[in-house]
Amino acid sequence: MNTLFADRKYIIGGIFLVACVAFIIRMFYMQLIDETLKLDASNETFRHITQYPPRGCIYDRNGRLLVTNEAAYDIMVTPSLIKDFDTASFCNDLGITKADFIAGIKKAIVQNTAYHASVFMKEVTPEIYAAFQEKLYKYHGFTSQVRTVRRYPMKVAPHILGYIGEVDKELCERNPDYREGDYIGISGIEESYENDLKGKKGVRIMMFDAMNKEVGDYKSGKFDTLPITGANLTCTIDAELQEYGEKLMQNKAGSIVAIDPETGEILTLVSSPYYDPNMMVGSVRAKNYAKLLRDSIDVPLFNRALMAMYPPGSTFKTIEALIGQQEGVLNENTTYTCPGGFHIGNISVACDAVHGTLKLEKAIAFSCNTYFCNVFMSIMNNKKYSSTEEAFNAWRRYVTSFGIGIHPDIDLPSALRGSLPTQNYYDKYHGAGHWKAATIISLAIGQGELGVTPLQLANQAAIIGNRGYYFVPHIIKSVGDKPTVKKYATKHYVPIDPQYFDIVADGMCDVMNEGTAAASKIPGIIMCGKTGTAQNPTGRNNSLFIAFAPKDHPRIAISVVVERGGQGAHWAAPIASLMIEKYLNDTIKRADRETRMLEGNTIQYLADEKLNPKPNRKKKHNSTGQRTAAVGHKHKDE
Amino acid sequence: MSDRRNNIVPHIDWFSISIYGALVLIGWLNIYSAVNNPLHPSIFDFSQRYGKQFIWIITGFVMALLVMASDASFFSVFAYPLYGITVLGLIAVRFVGRDIAGSHSWFRIGEIGIQPAELGIFAINLGLAKYLSNEKKASDLKKIRLVAAAMVMMPMLLIIIQNETGVAVTYSAFIFVLYREGLSGNILLGGFLLITLFILALVGNKIILSAILAGLALMGFLLFTRRKVKDLTKIGGILVFCLAIIFGTNYGFNHLELHQKKRIQVFLQQNVNNSKEGYNLHQAEIAIGSGGLYGKGYLQGTQAKLNYVPAHATDFIFVTPCEEWGFIGAAFIVILYFVLIVRLIFLAERQRSVFSRIYGYGVASIFFIHVAINVGMNLGLMPVIGIPLPFISYGGSSFWAFTLLLFIFLRLDADRLQILR
């Protein structure tokens, strides 16, 4: 038999060989060719757990904490692990209904399957969590995860600080640094300094076993990265002054911007109405945001200090005075006679008084419209230039150098440029060659097509205070240990010789001593100011004021706008003077002034106006919305 | 006697023993890695499977020594009694055995579990070898076939009754032995065709399959026969038989146990839910695939260790070397087995004694069928059948069984020169 079937050993061996080769080919395919299997393995075993770094804190210029982090707890659920428990008590602890509970579980399953942990409830406050956490062991399938949310200990400066919120899908696709559910700064400093504040996320690679139980770190954390805390920022705001400013602006619409002229640092930036920044935190944000957004009368989310555009009114006369001198058509001894108004052709600009014959200093002090209309005429009809257009363009370049009509390079998002008409604009509006100095005379008194933001107004005050230069206003002093970028440490000069500023400063000083804002004089402080009462086509005049103090080497430059406040001297000037007194003296001696300002309410006019809109007033030659004041009708100014 | 025992040492096939040793070591190290309990880091910790496997290995070595120390003729002489004891054991276990997940196949003595179906396979092999090696007259061929078939089928049936279909399947290894000893190749081919037909009938369209077969039959009749009535009935008979299988497949399939049906469906990739019945295989494939060329490194595997792969110390132990040692390591193990099996065939063929040769073929075939089914199911080439990988899977009963199988043959082989033809 041995010899008979001996050849069969080859057949048997052959069968064994075929099996062996088949296995090796199969392993070759599975281990070296089929990449999906490798991917599946790491997907099911490794979980990349993001370690969220705390966002950087924000301090004021004196080291007071403005924004900090606070723990909040995400309640997580793994639906497959839920066992019977007292849902009534569970819902009660978290303050939700049974329907919410069921909906939450369903959502988790749809989003992330029943076998993986998903967020059940976001950002539960420590107060609620404390009670819940005691019973957490009973609620099988539920765990918690700590996150940080923003907290604002001083409750000030919501518009400056901004807020954070979840990133949108679109950004996640664009920027791999963000994943859905991450937070990002949406406005204010939170937005503009996002890259410094956010820090760097860490990743912890955890291994999970088949029962979805955490087993430990992959290779003892060799491939993990630690989160890097966001940089702390020191902003230029004086929190105490900001808080005081906000108090003064309560029940008023408008803004206060105060700048340190020596550095360009913004000391205060109030936009009123404002809100408590803590409203925009955690689980209540969505609800509060919608509420603030719906408020179309107060528009509290609108940052007036950077975005609202007001005709500067008489505050603009200071610039007019400087340009006139630099152009050689005006000096401190130039006199004009005021008969109570300026008339040329069929155009007339009223003055609120018969000022008689006055020089430049007094014209500023009493804000004489006639005087400055004459100055404007002389600038526009300067023999130096062959045409009004040329003179206008020269004038426009001066105005632009003050930062008007151009974007401020501020480190806050969404600042606007205001409005400064161009030759092109007038050529279109009136027809090329069909307009003269008289046509655009309203510019002389800061009306017409001019529009400036409170930030630009404050910077204008700083330029005059510095006698001709400014630093770009900015909000951040230092990021971590590094001071802010160089561009904020560079002096910008306006093309007006320093000696021309003195007479303007003298005039502004007179404003406080004997002029339009004499009632807001601060005992012991030599302060320079200029009122503005800007016409408003839809309602009461806006009350404006710019100032700096002390007169020489000023430490603070300020602009105040109170919408619908009436005359500049009524609201804006007293508020500015209180702010300056607070900043320079730290105490307020004029208690009656302070009380009147704190209790004053001008927002009612805004509300009235919005609820009962008046039919548009007839405007003489003003059909564009941009023109906020008309020249022809009786123009009143202080 | 004593001088002869001393004499066998140079005749022992140390090559086979080296491969055996290598496989045992690989198995033990892999069990340590697969089970790896960080609370019990010592590989000698007897509360853990790797510690216990060490005990099974040492006791296995003792058994091997005893086998080598015994007289070679013992196994020939006691072949029938050992066969008988095994069959009795298979019957007894049905009544005395512990019920483990619906199967009554284990005797349990304290910590130690003995599965006679597994452990006794060497005795069945001895019995068959003994019977077939007896000089017989050619006229008794029919009877010899019948008895030989019965000697294999009887224990198989007893095992099926114990609900250990998987172990029973390994007894089909003897078909290679019978083939080597003269069984018609048609039976082997027929068996292969039967399985192919069964799979095709489950996967494909029965009508088309039948039409193809009918066409083939007609072609065969017209081209390769003399077109006699005898040929027609022969071919017609085969055709009818095949058609019966095709259309009987569903009936047979539906009468399988649910888990068996599922396993076949998983193998054929029909209606498989990877989180239910397909989970085991899917996870094993993922783990194997994740190994890549060089693997993740010893003790660095994740899939098996973290329980994604079930039975990762026993039926799916092969996953761990695939994951940790990669394609290179896994292919090395497969080649090691192949070399061992081919070596055993070589040894069997050099036997002067028919008994030793038949027994040797039995050992090679049993190893082959275990490796083929186990590795095949790990790789998704076979339906999942719960049988161990020789020398590597955790478990005392199977380790002893394979060790006994091998060393009895090595003892017979060491004695080969003493046998006169």
Side-chain angles (χ1 to χ4, degrees), chain A residues 1-2 5 8-9 11 16-17 23-24 26-28 30-32 37-38 41 44-45 208-210 219, chain B residues 179-180 182-183 283 285 288-289 292-293 303 306-308 322 327 338 341 349 357 361 368 372 379:
Chain A
M1 273 193 22
N2 193 359
F5 299 110
R8 287 191 171 183
K9 67 185 172 209
I11 292 177
F16 293 179
L17 181 67
F23 290 162
I24 289 175
R26 172 72 175 164
M27 287 191 297
F28 186 85
M30 285 168 81
Q31 299 191 285
L32 301 179
L37 292 175
K38 277 179 205 51
E44 68 183 10
T45 314
F208 284 77
D209 73 3
K219 301 235 177 190
Chain B
Y179 172 69
R180 170 63 184 81
L183 183 72
Q283 291 298 336
E285 287 183 345
I288 291 169
L293 180 61
Q303 303 306 108
L306 300 180
N307 296 320
Y308 286 99
C322 283
F327 171 74
F338 179 71
I341 289 165
E349 288 292 343
R357 183 182 73 224
Y361 259 97
F368 170 74
L379 297 177

Side-chain angles (χ1 to χ4, degrees), chain B residues 215-241:
Chain B
L216 282 175
L218 190 65
M219 247 168 62
F221 176 68
L222 293 177
L223 298 177
F224 301 108
T225 68
R226 292 174 185 182
R227 301 174 200 184
K228 295 267 164 62
V229 178
K230 199 177 78 182
D231 300 324
L232 188 65
T233 48
K234 216 179 196 173
I235 288 181
I238 294 172
L239 182 63
V240 167
F241 180 70

Side-chain angles (χ1 to χ4, degrees), chain B residues 44-63:
Chain B
F44 299 106
D45 190 319
F46 298 137
S47 69
Q48 299 300 312
R49 284 182 158 195
Y50 32 92
K52 286 182 186 158
Q53 181 74 4
F54 180 69
I55 299 176
W56 312 144
I57 289 170
I58 296 300
T59 47
F61 286 175
V62 171
M63 286 181 190

